[in-house]
Amino acid sequence: MPVIKSVTARQILDSRGNPTVECDVTLDNGILGRAAVPSGASTGEFEACELRDGDKSVYMGKGVLKAVANVVDVIAPALVGKDPLAQGEIDKLMLELDGTPNKGKLGANALLSVSMAVCRAAALVKGVPLYQHIADLHGNSVFQLPCPMANIINGGKHADNKIDFQEFMVVPVGATSFKEGLQWITQIFHTLKSLLKKAGHTTAVGDEGGFAPELDNDEALEFVMKAITEAGFKPGEQIGIALDCASSELFDEGDRKGYKFWKSNPSKLFTSDEMTEIFSKWCEKYPIVSIEDALDQSDWDGYVNITKKLGSKTQMVGDDFFVTNPQRFKKGIEMGACNSILIKVNQIGTVSETLECIKMGQTANYTIICSHRSGETEDTFIADLSVGTAAGQIKTGSLSRTDRICKYNQLIRIEEELAGKGTWSTAVLRK
């Protein structure tokens, strides 16, 4: 059985032009596993530490040469001679080398680059697709193509407009396959572009490929609805709407005393109950099937209340709230906070911990959404992760920018390769 011969890393650039870590794991039989780490712009307070150099004269302080050095000088010597199939043991060893609760010593970006590269190398050793190897690690025998959640209008910290919330997405809840669902949301994306252009709005795209027109929150929803119908689809029956509110940013803008709609209504602070009422009214008016980060990442009681009120009909997703952290997620499950979790591999920092979090959610009947970050690369790991774990949903940006499209294209290949053996279901989104 081949073993790890060398581990090296380098500083590359992500889709926003910021440095990130890429790792190569080479085995003694010549097999090479390579992985690149994504990076978020809107990050949760409780995420694992993304190690940056801090030298303002080089990449404005965002260099990752310290993380690269930690891979080469600390992690690599410990992994030489190890079995790449022993993912759990390797991840555990790296956690021990770091020795901190948030991976602040070596950096989650250092650990994750190695963890993902090892995972790829192991799949090559077995001669199977990456999603098959991930399924084996996860103890999963069913491959499920994920329903895509496509970000078509941006606001919040992702855009310089009047929209307070971060993402407005379309979800093909009535599609019968990934291929069909992708076609539907792509047609809506192009229809929206035409509608915005006709109304005199900019059609430049943001970090994640969505449009950032000068609209307010309600106008954004109305444009999404119009794009759905103009593209020939039925809102609610065929296409649902999903929101990523990133409400921790609204709470921060309100000096953590209340939620401030700092773009559209900066003079008022909203309470948790008032935020819940806003979403409740929107859910009555629009076919909203999913709401992500509706409240602040520390508002445990608020999440319990909003889940009780809206959770029977709407997917209540924890992103900044759970940060792919098994300990925080366990507490949320026990309290009944949210009914869905967003999975971001770089929030926690190893493949094994990511799989643990997914398994925990599936056992508790929470829905699972594998997600990209605003700073992405050409790496398509999350596409295989979504299929191998039968997550059921994926959030990987809009229908533009190669760093987003490459994940969709990988899923097209996987669906073709599975040739009908992969399942597809949107039942959890059609309550």
Side-chain angles (χ1 to χ4, degrees), residues 122-133:
L124 292 170
V125 168
K126 293 163 64 176
V128 300
L130 179 57
Y131 62 83
Q132 173 68 72
H133 176 56

Side-chain angles (χ1 to χ4, degrees), residues 319-383:
D319 172 21
D320 292 343
F321 185 49
F322 290 139
V323 292
T324 317
N325 184 300
Q327 284 69 45
R328 285 184 65 86
F329 191 25
K330 182 174 184 291
K331 179 180 176 180
I333 292 170
E334 291 171 349
M335 291 181 67
C338 295
N339 56 21
S340 179
I341 182 171
L342 201 77
I343 297 293
K344 293 175 175 174
V345 289
N346 80 318
Q347 283 183 327
I348 191 64
T350 66
V351 171
S352 297
E353 290 169 294
T354 301
L355 295 179
E356 179 187 353
C357 220
I358 294 173
K359 182 68 74 176
M360 186 182 295
Q362 291 171 329
T363 301
N365 292 318
Y366 275 55
T367 57
I368 311 296
I369 308 167
C370 290
S371 178
H372 65 157
R373 299 307 300 259
S374 56
E376 269 295 337
T377 72
E378 62 273 25
D379 194 301
T380 60
F381 188 91
I382 63 168

Side-chain angles (χ1 to χ4, degrees), residues 160-180:
D160 296 323
N161 55 17
K162 293 184 294 185
I163 303 173
D164 297 285
F165 294 131
Q166 189 165 279
E167 297 176 21
F168 293 75
M169 296 168 276
V170 286
V171 189
V173 296
T176 58
S177 67
F178 175 79
K179 181 180 179 181
E180 182 177 54

Side-chain angles (χ1 to χ4, degrees), residues 10 27 29-30 48 56 89 91 144 151 200 237 249 319 363:
R10 63 189 61 86
L27 310 185
N29 66 350
K56 298 295 184 182
E89 293 177 20
D91 288 343
Q144 183 172 346
N151 169 9
E237 183 178 332
E249 293 176 353
D319 172 21
T363 301

Side-chain angles (χ1 to χ4, degrees), residues 190-427:
H190 290 298
T191 301
L192 176 61
K193 181 176 182 178
S194 296
L195 290 172
L196 290 171
K197 191 171 184 179
K198 187 176 180 180
H201 295 288
T202 178
T203 54
V205 298
D207 287 348
E208 298 179 4
F211 302 113
E214 190 57 46
L215 304 172
D216 62 27
N217 303 309
D218 289 279
E219 288 171 338
L221 283 164
E222 291 296 335
F223 260 95
V224 171
M225 288 289 285
K226 189 172 183 181
I228 293 170
T229 56
E230 289 279 326
F233 301 105
K234 298 176 182 178
E237 183 178 332
Q238 291 178 300
I239 303 292
I241 295 174
L243 306 176
D244 176 3
C245 305
S247 290
S248 289
E249 293 176 353
L250 275 68
F251 201 63
D252 288 342
E253 290 290 337
D255 294 325
R256 305 199 64 76
K257 296 174 183 177
Y259 296 88
K260 180 191 284 190
F261 286 48
W262 84 97
K263 291 183 171 185
S264 65
N265 188 8
S267 61
K268 176 177 170 57
L269 290 182
F270 291 82
T271 66
S272 179
D273 288 343
E274 288 173 323
M275 292 287 285
T276 299
E277 188 58 31
I278 290 171
F279 295 127
S280 180
K281 289 179 179 178
W282 276 0
C283 287
E284 291 174 4
K285 186 176 181 181
Y286 304 105
I288 295 175
V289 297
S290 183
I291 303 175
E292 177 186 332
D293 282 347
L295 301 170
D296 179 63
Q297 57 202 344
S298 296
D299 192 355
W300 292 91
D301 292 336
Y303 271 109
V304 171
N305 292 334
I306 197 171
T307 303
K308 285 179 180 177
K309 183 160 186 176
L310 302 179
S312 63
K313 294 184 177 181
T314 308
Q315 189 171 248
M316 303 305 300
V317 187
D319 172 21
D320 292 343
F321 185 49
F322 290 139
V323 292
T324 317
N325 184 300
Q327 284 69 45
R328 285 184 65 86
F329 191 25
K330 182 174 184 291
K331 179 180 176 180
I333 292 170
E334 291 171 349
M335 291 181 67
C338 295
N339 56 21
S340 179
I341 182 171
L342 201 77
I343 297 293
K344 293 175 175 174
V345 289
N346 80 318
Q347 283 183 327
I348 191 64
T350 66
V351 171
S352 297
E353 290 169 294
T354 301
L355 295 179
E356 179 187 353
C357 220
I358 294 173
K359 182 68 74 176
M360 186 182 295
Q362 291 171 329
T363 301
N365 292 318
Y366 275 55
T367 57
I368 311 296
I369 308 167
C370 290
S371 178
H372 65 157
R373 299 307 300 259
S374 56
E376 269 295 337
T377 72
E378 62 273 25
D379 194 301
T380 60
F381 188 91
I382 63 168
D384 288 77
L385 178 69
S386 68
V387 175
T389 59
Q393 298 173 68
I394 191 167
K395 177 182 167 184
T396 186
S398 194
L399 289 310
S400 66
R401 299 186 57 124
T402 304
D403 42 286
R404 314 296 150 176
I405 296 297
C406 64
K407 280 74 164 174
Y408 292 126
N409 287 344
Q410 174 67 355
L411 287 166
I412 290 172
R413 298 181 196 105
I414 293 173
E415 185 175 44
E416 180 182 281
E417 187 174 299
L418 288 172
K421 296 178 183 178
T423 63
W424 164 272
S425 175
T426 60

